[in-house]
Every structure is written in C-alpha cells, then in structure tokens.
C-alpha cells in the first residue's frame, strides 16, 4: 500500500510540473511588452475672423471718491448708449471691471507726500462686435461719447468647429505619414491605431490698437486666425 501511495504522489507531482512547464511560455507571452509606435501629428487650418472683442471704458479723478465713482458711471452709460446706437446688442456689452483707488500727491522735487489726495475710478466693459467691419466705427463712437481707456482688441471665430475638423484630419494624416516612415525604417509593418490623444489651440488672437483713421473710424485689420490640432497616436506594429 505504501508503494501505491508513493507512486500516486509521484504521478501527481509530475503532472503539476508538466502543467507549470506548459503554462510558463504563455505567461511569458502575456507579460511581453506590446509592440507599438507612438507619434505626434500636427494639423492647422486658417479662417477669417467673424467676431471682435473690444475692451474699453472710462476713468475719472476727483477729490471725493463718491463723485469719482458717479462720474464714471455716468460716462460709461453714455459710451454704452453710443455703441448700442450702432446696432450692438445690450447682451454684447459686459462689464469687465470696476475699480476705485486712492492717489496721494508727492512733491516732484523731494518725493515727499504733500498731503494732497485724490480718488481715481474706472469702469471697463467688453464689447462683442459681430460685424468685424464695424469695429473702427464702434471705437470712434465710444471715444466720442467719453471713452478714455482702451485696453485692447481681439478677433475670434464664433464657431471654429469646421476649422477644427479640417485641422484634425490634417493631423491624422501627418501622424500616419510619420508612423509609416518610422515603421519602414525599422523594418516592421504598421497596424491599427490603438490610442489617440488630442490638443486643440487657436481661434482667437489679441491685436494692438491702431491709430485713428481720418474720417473712417479707427483703422484695424482682422487678418487670419488659425486653429491647430495636435494628435498623439499609438499604432500597433507587426
């Protein structure tokens, strides 16, 4: 009986060893790193801006802070009315900042405070101009109505979807071409893409203010805007 038990135990141990030997290659294959190539593709598409954002406002100085604040409120109402008279919707005028700060006076010769004090108030708005050809007229009307602070101008594309789609296709084609070149150089075959990460930029650009034109409003140029797409794609290889 002991011999039978010994033989049975030896047979079971042999079967376990055979199973382990058979399983090890498969496990090693599962743990092997995937054969891939990762590349970045770039695409860009340009278009003409169809919307502008104008940052302007008023500021005033007074020895009384309440008076300074009331002055800019009255002034900005006049500016807003002048802009709206050109067809700008009220919803396209948004208050961007309201500021009030103290200004102490100093002797220019000694740099010592003189004891004088004034208050400066400021009220700024962002005006969305949906007809870029009207930007110059809007600036001129705002200045005529009392705007004495213009912080800049930017152009944009209201719906950049079509540009982004075209740029994306360009990025995909660029990534594929790069991957095929690398695969050919390495002597491998490019397979299906297994992952992709995207980054989109562009669609708006800031512009400096230009000098006032003669009789035709401020001279501005909207130029072109570009939407850029970067795609990082990982391809399997054989």
């Amino acid at each position: 009986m002991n011999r039978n038990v010994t033989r049975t135990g030896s047979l079971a141990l042999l079967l376990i060893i055979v199973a382990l030997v058979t399983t090890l290659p498969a496990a090693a294959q599962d743990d092997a790193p995937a054969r891939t190539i990762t590349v970045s593709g770039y695409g860009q598409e340009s278009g003409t801006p169809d919307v502008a954002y104008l940052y302007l406002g008023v500021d005033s100085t007074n020895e009384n802070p309440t008076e300074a604040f009331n002055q800019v409120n009255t002034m900005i109402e006049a500016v807003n009315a002048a802009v709206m008279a050109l067809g700008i919707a009220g919803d396209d005028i948004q208050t961007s900042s309201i500021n009030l700060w103290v200004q102490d006076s100093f002797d220019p010769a000694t740099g010592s405070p003189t004891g004088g004090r004034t208050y400066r108030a400021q009220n700024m708005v962002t005006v969305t101009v949906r007809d870029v050809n009207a930007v110059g007229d809007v600036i001129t009307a705002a200045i005529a109505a009392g705007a004495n602070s213009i912080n800049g101008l930017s152009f944009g594309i209201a719906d950049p979807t079509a540009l982004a789609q075209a740029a994306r296709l360009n990025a995909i084609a660029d990534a594929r071409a790069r991957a095929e070149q690398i695969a050919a150089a390495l002597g491998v075959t490019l397979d299906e893409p297994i992952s992709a990460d995207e980054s989109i930029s562009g669609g708006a650009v800031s512009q400096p203010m230009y000098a006032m034109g003669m009789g035709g409003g401020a001279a501005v140029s909207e130029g072109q805007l570009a939407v850029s797409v970067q795609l990082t794609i990982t391809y399997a290889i054989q």
Side-chain angles (χ1 to χ4, degrees):
M1 181 176 295
N2 291 337
R3 289 182 179 179
N4 290 337
V5 171
T6 302
R7 289 177 180 175
T8 302
S10 299
L11 180 59
L13 179 60
L14 179 61
L15 290 174
I16 292 172
I17 293 173
V18 171
L20 287 173
V21 172
T22 305
T23 305
L24 283 175
Q29 290 178 0
D30 292 340
D31 293 338
R35 289 164 52 84
T36 62
I37 290 176
T38 300
V39 295
S40 291
Y42 303 88
Q44 181 174 290
E45 197 71 19
S46 298
T48 301
D50 56 10
V51 64
Y53 305 96
L54 180 61
Y55 313 104
L56 56 82
V58 297
D59 65 66
S60 179
T61 302
N62 195 289
E63 294 181 355
N64 185 298
T66 302
E67 288 297 324
F69 194 73
N70 290 338
Q71 285 170 2
V72 294
N73 285 340
T74 300
M75 293 167 67
I76 199 64
E77 288 176 358
V79 170
N80 291 346
V83 168
M84 292 174 66
L86 294 179
I88 303 297
D91 289 344
D92 285 334
I93 302 174
Q94 182 181 49
T95 299
S96 55
S97 68
I98 296 178
N99 302 295
L100 177 67
W101 62 93
V102 63
Q103 297 182 146
D104 290 321
S105 298
F106 295 88
D107 188 312
T110 65
S112 301
T114 63
R117 172 170 289 184
T118 57
Y119 295 87
R120 183 178 177 184
Q122 186 181 68
N123 192 321
M124 303 296 296
V125 296
T126 299
V127 180
T128 301
V129 184
R130 302 189 184 279
D131 177 6
V132 294
N133 294 319
V135 171
D137 293 335
V138 172
I139 294 173
T140 300
I143 293 174
N148 54 16
S149 180
I150 299 180
N151 287 347
L153 170 68
S154 65
F155 290 99
I157 295 175
D159 184 5
T161 302
L163 292 180
Q165 290 175 343
R168 184 176 297 111
L169 293 178
N170 293 339
I172 292 172
D174 183 49
R176 182 77 187 188
R178 292 170 184 263
E180 288 176 346
Q181 182 183 30
I182 294 172
L186 294 176
V188 297
T189 302
L190 201 64
D191 207 338
E192 296 293 323
I194 58 178
S195 70
D197 293 317
E198 180 184 69
S199 175
I200 300 179
S201 62
V205 63
S206 296
Q207 297 282 353
M209 295 307 302
Y210 289 78
M212 297 298 295
M214 294 299 293
V220 297
S221 176
E222 69 272 17
Q224 290 276 297
L225 293 180
V227 175
S228 300
V229 173
Q230 176 180 334
L231 277 170
T232 300
I233 303 178
T234 298
Y235 294 90
I237 57 174
Q238 297 179 0

